[in-house]
Amino acid sequence: MAKEHPILETRDLTIRFGGHVAVDGVSASFERGSLTAIVGPNGAGKTTYFNLISGQLSATSGAVLLNGEAITRLSVPERTDRGIGRAFQLTNLFPTLSVRENVRLVAQAKARKGFDLFSVAESHVELLERADHVLAEVRLIDKAEQTVAALPHGDQRKLEVALLIALGSQVLMFDEPTAGMSVDEVPVILDLIRKLKSDMDRTILLVEHKMDVIRSLADRIIVLHNGALVADGAPAEVIALPVVQEAYLGKTPDASANSGEAA
Amino acid sequence: MLTRLLSGDTPRSGLLTVLLLIVLVSLAFAPFLFPGTRSLETAARICIFIVLVASYDLLLGYAGIVSFAHTMFFGIGAYGTALALSATGPSYGSLIWGTVAGAVAAAVFALAIGLFSLRVKAIFFAMVTLAVASAFAVLVSQMSWLTGGEDGLNYRIPRALTPAFKLFDEKILGVRINGKLLAYYLVFFVSVILFLAMLRIVNSPFGRTLKAVRDNAFRAEAIGYRVVWYRTTATVLSAVMAALAGSLLAIWLRYTGPATTLSMEIMIDILLMVVIGGMGTLYGAVLGATLFILAQTYLQTLMGVAADATSAVPLFSTLVAPERWLLWLGVLFILSVYFFPSGIVGRLRAGRV
């Protein structure tokens, strides 16, 4: 009987740095159109888990499968081509280029026009239109001409989300998208993520610390602790679990010792 | 039409436009505006170096890659043309096959170096290019049976490009239209075409991607660009352009030797021209190369005049004695880098002169 593959799956995914096991045999699968929050204390391996999925790190053992196909050995751009999009925790943009150019570059990558040597980039009107469309969506259109380095932090976070929207991948990974944003800007980002999930049927993975954000967005939570998956389920259930109260919310004394570990 | 020719990359500064036009007009009419062998030599050098410096800026300013092998590619082009002209005689055929062979050899070398070393840290690539370029220079000077060693190669070029050839009997505007003049216009027009081609490349989707790779290679990968291939392609293109500039030099000088093409001094000159003109803008190459070569050629003369005029003032006349020209050239560079950290073009475009 033919079984429908989950869009993204990790099987026993593990990475060791010397003696330290940063991600320890994590198996999880993600269905189309779902939004999964990944939580855990600092150093639990959340960002490392993301890096293993998007390819910045290669797994020591285990596998990453996209639509049932192993992508564990592929490079970062190959995984991006296959449909994995990634936003970063620390803002990670093209600082000397304009806001519009940042998004245009993503549209250009998607249209596979990067190796076009003979035409003038500005003549590809469809890429500029696509960029402006996305910028309008994240409410950055009036800053399109500005250089990214001169942008306030909140706008850089918005641009980070804009790049993922422009990429339009099947799987979108956000690493603390609202970190360092002002209170009135947070809902803008959350609305965008919600829209990506519902209107575009994207599968979203979200690393987030703010419980209210998780409650309002996630249909599922997985909890990492010391690199291992310790809980997986619907938000209400998972938050109520003692292991989560202990590991994530820091209800016991030894939680503070764990939070000091490096990822 | 003009914007199209410039690939939409206009100078974007009034003063810069004026300066570029002065350079263009002066070079286009150099034989008529500045008659004399020395000024024509200087004009041809400027044309060739504009291409060479622009091709280096493609790598350094746009792709953010530091290479010390640029004179090697320049030399490969020059030796390609020189060897072909020596081996198969002074025909246009040998001129063309030598130039093409030089460009292909440069491309293959650049591809090998790029694939071998662009995956790793930038400093490693810089060291590899330095090592390869030094090895190449030693090889050329040792293989004297082929390359003439340190003495280099003297050869003949097609007669129509030599001073002995006269197109008309009368002079035009007081200048005899001879083969040397035709050779100058060959250099000039090929340089213009190569420059415009590079201007197109840096403004193409590929050129924009290079800037993204320079700014943040990590993120460029994450949005789907295979960074190694972009860097390698940039290295190959830049090498081919440098080789073509080398072929122009070989045709112009009718001599090719290590000192005119491969020396580390030329490599440093190129670096200075890029920095003075402004990295990441090809117009910087035009101004950088022009100013540098003019200073290199005429500073000594100018100082001779100044020393004579001030011979009554003891200390000052010693300071400006012609043999101290290198010292003053150095001072000029330090001042220009200090006052124009983003280069002349960067400064002009920022609007504050």
Side-chain angles (χ1 to χ4, degrees):
Chain A
M1 199 176 80
K3 188 174 152 273
E4 181 96 6
H5 292 291
I7 187 157
L8 178 72
E9 189 182 353
T10 68
R11 278 189 200 152
D12 225 3
L13 201 60
T14 303
I15 186 166
R16 277 190 202 90
F17 299 114
H20 177 65
V21 187
V23 170
D24 190 359
V26 175
S27 296
S29 59
F30 305 92
E31 300 301 330
R32 184 179 296 278
S34 66
L35 194 152
T36 309
I38 296 161
V39 302
N42 287 327
K46 305 182 297 289
T47 300
T48 310
Y49 184 56
F50 264 24
N51 283 337
L52 288 172
I53 295 173
S54 55
Q56 275 82 17
L57 293 171
S58 320
T60 312
S61 63
V64 181
L65 293 97
L66 187 68
N67 293 316
E69 255 181 86
I71 58 167
T72 325
R73 298 283 151 232
L74 297 184
S75 68
V76 174
E78 282 167 332
R79 295 189 201 200
T80 307
D81 272 358
R82 300 273 179 110
I84 289 190
R86 166 87 193 269
F88 294 87
Q89 184 178 14
L90 300 169
T91 306
N92 208 320
L93 302 158
F94 303 107
T96 73
L97 308 181
S98 74
V99 170
R100 176 180 289 126
E101 178 66 3
N102 267 263
V103 185
R104 199 199 63 84
L105 280 163
V106 178
Q108 181 184 282
K110 236 193 132 199
R112 295 174 190 276
K113 292 221 170 96
F115 265 107
D116 179 346
L117 284 154
F118 306 108
S119 65
V120 177
E122 295 291 322
S123 69
H124 295 274
V125 183
E126 73 288 356
L127 300 181
L128 289 166
E129 281 169 356
R130 174 78 187 129
D132 282 354
H133 179 77
V134 174
L135 286 176
E137 225 175 307
V138 300
R139 302 182 203 172
L140 275 179
I141 188 72
D142 45 331
K143 296 187 175 173
E145 308 289 339
Q146 282 190 28
T147 304
V148 167
L151 229 49
H153 179 78
D155 286 340
Q156 294 199 8
R157 301 299 311 181
K158 281 189 207 165
L159 184 56
E160 186 77 32
V161 176
L163 294 198
L164 270 212
I165 295 175
L167 206 53
S169 312
Q170 302 176 50
V171 177
L172 297 167
M173 304 163 74
F174 293 94
D175 200 345
E176 298 196 43
T178 62
M181 287 187 94
S182 66
V183 186
D184 49 319
E185 281 174 319
V186 170
V188 179
I189 296 287
L190 298 187
D191 277 348
L192 287 169
I193 294 176
R194 201 173 282 127
K195 251 171 81 182
L196 277 171
K197 180 194 156 201
S198 55
D199 299 358
M200 296 173 71
D201 203 26
R202 302 298 182 220
T203 306
I204 294 172
L205 273 63
L206 174 74
V207 167
E208 186 53 79
H209 278 296
K210 297 180 186 122
M211 264 306 159
D212 49 333
V213 170
I214 295 169
R215 279 204 188 90
S216 78
L217 283 181
D219 1 75
R220 173 187 172 202
I221 297 181
I222 64 178
V223 184
L224 293 183
H225 186 52
N226 288 337
L229 193 151
V230 292
D232 182 348
E237 296 166 29
V238 170
I239 292 169
L241 288 173
V243 64
V244 174
Q245 296 286 322
E246 188 185 309
Y248 181 60
L249 299 169
K251 291 288 165 65
T252 58
D254 63 283
S256 59
N258 291 330
S259 65
E261 275 174 34
Chain B
M1 171 63 196
L2 184 65
T3 317
R4 225 180 113 75
L5 208 60
L6 299 179
S7 305
D9 190 354
T10 51
R12 296 206 308 278
S13 149
L15 188 54
L16 179 58
T17 313
V18 172
L19 288 174
L20 290 170
L21 279 176
I22 292 174
V23 174
L24 179 68
V25 170
S26 306
L27 290 174
F29 300 104
F32 304 99
L33 291 172
F34 318 103
T37 321
R38 192 172 176 206
S39 48
L40 197 61
E41 288 294 330
T42 311
R45 260 183 88 75
I46 291 175
C47 291
I48 293 166
F49 269 78
I50 286 174
V51 174
L52 185 61
V53 172
S55 67
Y56 191 66
D57 193 32
L58 182 66
L59 208 57
L60 182 67
Y62 285 88
I65 298 169
V66 180
S67 158
F68 292 105
H70 213 59
T71 45
M72 177 178 83
F73 298 122
F74 187 51
I76 289 176
Y79 274 97
T81 308
L83 288 170
L85 286 167
S86 313
T88 57
S91 68
Y92 290 107
S94 38
L95 198 148
I96 289 168
W97 83 254
T99 302
V100 171
V104 170
V108 171
F109 255 70
L111 184 69
I113 297 177
L115 287 181
F116 178 66
S117 52
L118 279 174
R119 290 175 190 281
V120 289
K121 288 216 165 62
I123 183 73
F124 185 67
F125 180 78
M127 300 318 286
V128 167
T129 57
L130 189 60
V132 172
S134 309
F136 187 81
V138 170
L139 204 66
V140 166
S141 71
Q142 292 303 307
M143 290 167 65
S144 44
W145 54 272
L146 180 70
T147 62
E150 288 296 326
D151 295 336
L153 294 165
N154 279 294
Y155 41 85
R156 292 184 303 134
I157 60 173
R159 188 165 178 281
L161 298 175
T162 61
F165 175 80
K166 306 240 179 329
L167 195 62
F168 307 112
D169 283 335
E170 313 87 67
K171 290 186 172 184
I172 292 179
L173 300 169
V175 178
R176 194 174 296 288
I177 309 297
N178 62 10
K180 195 70 184 168
L181 196 106
L182 295 182
Y184 175 74
Y185 278 108
L186 174 73
V187 169
F188 174 77
F189 282 112
V190 172
S191 299
V192 169
I193 291 167
L194 291 178
F195 183 81
L196 290 178
M198 282 188 274
L199 202 57
R200 171 55 64 93
I201 290 171
V202 298
N203 287 292
S204 70
F206 174 79
R208 294 293 190 86
T209 312
L210 283 187
K211 282 185 165 185
V213 169
R214 173 199 69 193
D215 252 29
N216 189 344
F218 176 83
R219 189 56 190 263
E221 289 252 307
I223 60 175
Y225 292 113
R226 286 162 179 77
V227 166
V228 178
W229 279 107
Y230 285 89
R231 285 187 173 146
T232 306
T233 309
T235 310
V236 170
L237 285 170
S238 153
V240 168
M241 289 293 171
L244 293 175
S247 296
L248 286 180
L249 186 78
I251 295 165
W252 175 253
L253 290 180
R254 286 176 285 160
Y255 163 80
T256 295
T260 57
T261 55
L262 294 173
S263 78
M264 209 15 99
E265 256 169 73
I266 298 177
M267 189 62 242
I268 291 166
D269 289 352
I270 297 171
L271 259 168
L272 284 170
M273 290 184 224
V274 170
V275 172
I276 290 169
M279 279 195 281
T281 149
L282 290 190
Y283 294 123
V286 177
L287 296 186
T290 306
L291 288 178
F292 190 98
I293 290 171
L294 285 180
Q296 220 178 20
T297 318
Y298 292 110
L299 192 61
Q300 210 172 352
T301 321
L302 203 68
M303 285 175 61
V305 174
D308 285 345
T310 57
S311 53
V313 194
L315 186 66
F316 188 76
S317 64
T318 325
L319 270 176
V320 296
E323 63 267 24
R324 305 210 198 292
W325 73 281
L326 258 176
L327 169 78
W328 288 104
L329 195 62
V331 171
L332 281 181
F333 294 146
I334 294 170
L335 289 179
S336 75
V337 172
Y338 186 79
F339 286 107
F340 306 115
S342 53
I344 298 169
V345 172
R347 194 60 185 261
L348 289 177
R349 279 183 170 169
R352 288 167 289 111
V353 184

